[in-house]
């Protein structure tokens, strides 16, 4: 099923573009080149304007406003003929959320005219449909992707359905060459698959500080589809393995559950039709054991998270703690709170982890991931994913991995 979005793009006649968040590249700390700048999203104000699942809130979500705050200040938000009270919040340094709590008297219809007034300079008008989600999902898996092989996407969906009972998958497709046919290619899967054409500049590959597209999709998923249940944040090249208990049991214990990972490199020449089952070896040491503390992914309860990032999320309670931190900072007591605010409840490797497949990539960001690793002494066998892909959903959904 294709989900329509309503972007707000700065029109060319205004002659305004978004300034860079940073002029530096993360790969070498050098200044951005014209090639880097060409990949930057300089025009998108909001990726989408939409209602939440219960149709009680009108949202707009977009990249950091930066200079647009002053050059295109939002002076009014209108729903049909009514002016709404609204807030604009930067939920993280790269994501802006406009929010209007609706009243029963606002009288929504199936389609509604929404206007965002940018002072005297410009007014955006869109026709926004009410949310008509057929049912709530117990566990939703989402990702942003571009030009991955269709067989990888199909296997990725099958794995999460078989291993973790995922009942809804949301794919934010970032201008793939086969985008118009993607929905059709995934239609035969026994899972509710939603495809969103998320055709915004991803951001410069060599400048993490200027990449805002993925964060927009993560938070859009939570706000637009998060009607109860849980969300999983894993890319096409990442498969979660739960060895003890179950994913549902882990999620009952925490608002956010974090997982360590193992890299799975190619160790021989790859066949033309390779996929996850082609890889039997993973690293002995996890990413955290190797010192890469940020290399976690997570599952979370939709209702208890304030903001999503790629490798971590902020819970509602942690957000409240940020206000307290400001008070304690004045009293020079903030160190007592900082550990709690930055805490990540990472489950043990004996309980769960995810496998990160180097060669499951279209190579557009990091072509070196396809390089074959000749040294295998640091690798061990792991059949967890293969076992899950080969069994039917009627059998036990949790692999007994090596």
């Amino acid at each position: 099923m294709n989900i329509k979005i309503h972007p707000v793009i700065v029109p060319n006649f205004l002659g305004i573009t978004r300034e860079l968040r940073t002029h530096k590249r993360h790969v070498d700390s050098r200044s951005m080149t014209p090639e880097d700048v060409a990949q930057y999203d300089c025009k998108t104000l909001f990726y989408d304007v939409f209602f939440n699942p219960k149709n009680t809130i009108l949202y707009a979500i977009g990249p950091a406003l930066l200079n647009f705050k002053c050059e295109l200040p939002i002076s009014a938000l209108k729903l049909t003929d009514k002016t709404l009270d609204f807030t604009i919040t930067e939920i993280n340094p790269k994501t802006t959320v406009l929010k209007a709590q609706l009243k029963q008297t606002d009288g929504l219809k199936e389609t509604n005219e929404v206007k965002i007034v940018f002072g005297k300079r410009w007014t955006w008008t869109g026709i926004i449909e009410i949310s008509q989600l057929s049912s709530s999902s117990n566990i939703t898996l989402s990702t942003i992707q571009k030009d991955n092989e269709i067989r990888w996407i199909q296997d990725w969906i099958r794995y999460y359905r078989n291993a973790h009972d995922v009942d809804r998958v949301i794919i934010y497709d970032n201008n793939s060459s086969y985008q118009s046919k993607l929905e059709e290619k995934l239609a035969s899967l026994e899972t509710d698959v939603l495809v969103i054409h998320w055709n915004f500049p991803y951001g410069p590959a060599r400048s993490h500080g200027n990449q805002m597209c993925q964060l927009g999709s993560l938070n859009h998923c939570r706000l637009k589809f998060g009607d109860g249940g849980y969300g999983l944040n894993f890319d096409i090249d990442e498969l979660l393995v739960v060895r003890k208990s179950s994913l549902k049991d882990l999620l009952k214990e925490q608002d956010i559950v974090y997982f360590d990972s193992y890299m799975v490199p190619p160790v021989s020449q790859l066949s033309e039709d390779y996929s996850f089952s082609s890889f039997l070896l993973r690293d002995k040491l996890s990413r955290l054991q190797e010192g890469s503390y940020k290399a976690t992914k997570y599952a979370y309860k939709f209702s208890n998270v304030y903001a999503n990032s790629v490798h971590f999320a902020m819970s509602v309670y942690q957000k409240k703690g940020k206000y307290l931190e400001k008070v304690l900072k004045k009293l020079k007591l903030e160190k007592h709170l900082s550990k709690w605010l930055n805490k990540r409840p990472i489950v043990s490797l004996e309980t769960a982890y995810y496998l990160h497949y180097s060669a499951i990539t279209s190579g557009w960001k990091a072509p070196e991931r396809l390089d074959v690793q000749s040294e295998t002494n640091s690798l061990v066998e792991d059949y967890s994913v293969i076992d899950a892909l080969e069994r039917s959903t009627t059998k036990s959904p949790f692999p007994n991995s090596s």
Side-chain angles (χ1 to χ4, degrees), residues 191-356:
T191 307
D192 186 14
V193 180
L194 308 181
V195 176
I196 300 175
H197 295 178
W198 203 252
N199 295 336
F200 307 99
Y202 186 85
R206 297 182 292 188
S207 180
H208 284 162
N210 289 303
Q211 295 173 2
M212 296 182 271
C213 182
Q214 183 174 11
L215 288 185
S217 69
L218 288 171
N219 288 284
H220 180 268
C221 176
R222 173 176 53 83
L223 296 174
K224 185 174 178 68
F225 302 102
D227 184 17
Y230 301 91
L232 298 185
N233 170 30
F234 291 95
D235 294 331
I236 301 295
D237 58 358
E238 298 168 342
L239 300 184
L240 175 65
V241 174
V242 177
R243 301 180 66 176
K244 294 182 179 179
S245 185
S246 71
L247 176 59
K248 291 179 182 177
D249 288 339
L250 291 175
L251 288 169
K252 289 177 183 177
E253 299 173 3
Q254 301 280 352
D255 292 337
I256 310 167
V257 181
Y258 292 90
F259 303 95
D260 193 359
S261 64
Y262 292 103
M263 292 302 300
V264 181
V267 295
S268 60
Q269 191 64 36
L270 297 168
S271 63
E272 290 186 2
D273 60 347
Y274 74 90
S275 189
F276 300 99
S277 295
S278 304
F279 304 95
L280 307 179
L281 301 174
R282 62 161 171 81
D283 283 351
K284 285 182 182 178
L285 295 179
S286 73
R287 301 292 300 284
L288 291 180
Q289 289 171 337
E290 291 178 341
S292 182
Y293 179 66
K294 293 184 178 180
T296 57
K297 282 298 183 74
Y298 59 91
Y300 67 103
K301 189 173 183 179
F302 276 126
S303 61
N304 287 358
V305 163
Y306 170 77
N308 299 83
S309 293
V310 177
H311 297 292
F312 62 94
M314 179 183 288
S315 71
V316 173
Y317 303 108
Q318 287 173 315
K319 174 59 180 175
K320 292 178 180 178
K322 287 291 184 181
Y323 294 111
L324 179 58
E325 185 182 35
K326 293 179 180 179
V327 176
L328 293 177
K329 192 171 185 178
K330 293 181 179 180
L331 301 174
K332 298 182 179 181
L333 297 172
E334 74 274 10
K335 290 183 180 179
H336 298 284
L337 188 66
S338 60
K339 288 185 179 179
W340 174 77
L341 286 173
N342 297 309
K343 182 180 179 183
R344 296 187 192 181
I346 303 171
V347 301
S348 68
L349 291 167
E350 292 74 22
T351 300
Y353 54 84
Y354 71 94
L355 297 176
H356 192 165

Side-chain angles (χ1 to χ4, degrees), residues 21-295:
R21 274 196 73 244
T22 173
H23 290 269
K24 298 294 183 180
R25 308 190 312 196
H26 71 272
V27 293
D28 53 16
S29 297
R30 294 183 178 180
S31 297
M32 300 258 284
T33 66
E35 178 187 358
D36 295 321
V37 175
Q39 301 170 43
Y40 183 62
D41 190 341
C42 60
K43 286 284 192 177
T44 304
L45 276 163
F46 295 108
Y47 301 118
D48 190 18
V49 180
F50 58 95
F51 295 104
N52 70 330
K54 290 185 172 64
N55 294 302
T56 56
I57 301 174
L58 175 64
Y59 282 116
I61 188 168
L65 290 175
L66 301 176
N67 57 302
F68 288 156
K69 288 181 185 178
C70 297
E71 298 189 60
L72 285 173
I74 299 175
S75 56
L77 175 65
K78 297 183 179 182
L79 176 62
T80 311
D81 57 347
K82 295 183 179 180
T83 299
L84 304 177
D85 294 329
F86 65 92
T87 60
I88 300 176
T89 307
E90 292 182 346
I91 60 172
N92 60 50
K94 300 180 187 178
T95 309
T96 303
V97 173
L98 180 151
K99 177 181 178 181
Q101 192 78 41
L102 303 180
K103 303 173 183 177
Q104 290 183 346
T105 54
D106 288 329
L108 290 181
K109 302 176 182 178
E110 287 195 10
T111 58
N112 304 271
E113 183 182 76
V114 173
K115 291 185 177 181
I116 303 177
V117 183
F118 297 92
K120 296 180 179 180
R121 302 204 65 177
W122 176 52
T123 296
W124 177 87
T125 302
I127 304 300
I128 313 301
E129 307 83 4
I130 60 171
S131 176
Q132 293 183 324
L133 296 176
S134 57
S135 62
S136 296
S137 166
N138 188 31
I139 301 181
T140 296
L141 171 67
S142 71
T143 193
I144 186 170
Q145 78 91 34
K146 179 183 178 69
D147 280 330
N148 282 288
E149 296 290 344
I150 295 298
R151 64 179 178 278
W152 299 344
I153 302 174
Q154 292 172 332
D155 285 347
W156 178 75
I157 293 172
R158 290 190 187 103
Y159 174 81
Y160 277 97
R161 179 193 66 204
N162 290 5
H164 304 302
D165 290 339
V166 165
D167 52 3
R168 180 170 63 188
V169 176
I170 303 173
I171 295 177
Y172 290 80
D173 189 79
N174 188 223
N175 258 320
S176 289
S177 57
Y178 49 66
Q179 187 176 82
S180 62
K181 299 180 180 179
L182 180 57
E183 183 183 350
E184 177 186 341
K185 291 177 181 294
L186 302 178
S188 62
L189 298 173
E190 298 175 8
T191 307
D192 186 14
V193 180
L194 308 181
V195 176
I196 300 175
H197 295 178
W198 203 252
N199 295 336
F200 307 99
Y202 186 85
R206 297 182 292 188
S207 180
H208 284 162
N210 289 303
Q211 295 173 2
M212 296 182 271
C213 182
Q214 183 174 11
L215 288 185
S217 69
L218 288 171
N219 288 284
H220 180 268
C221 176
R222 173 176 53 83
L223 296 174
K224 185 174 178 68
F225 302 102
D227 184 17
Y230 301 91
L232 298 185
N233 170 30
F234 291 95
D235 294 331
I236 301 295
D237 58 358
E238 298 168 342
L239 300 184
L240 175 65
V241 174
V242 177
R243 301 180 66 176
K244 294 182 179 179
S245 185
S246 71
L247 176 59
K248 291 179 182 177
D249 288 339
L250 291 175
L251 288 169
K252 289 177 183 177
E253 299 173 3
Q254 301 280 352
D255 292 337
I256 310 167
V257 181
Y258 292 90
F259 303 95
D260 193 359
S261 64
Y262 292 103
M263 292 302 300
V264 181
V267 295
S268 60
Q269 191 64 36
L270 297 168
S271 63
E272 290 186 2
D273 60 347
Y274 74 90
S275 189
F276 300 99
S277 295
S278 304
F279 304 95
L280 307 179
L281 301 174
R282 62 161 171 81
D283 283 351
K284 285 182 182 178
L285 295 179
S286 73
R287 301 292 300 284
L288 291 180
Q289 289 171 337
E290 291 178 341
S292 182
Y293 179 66
K294 293 184 178 180

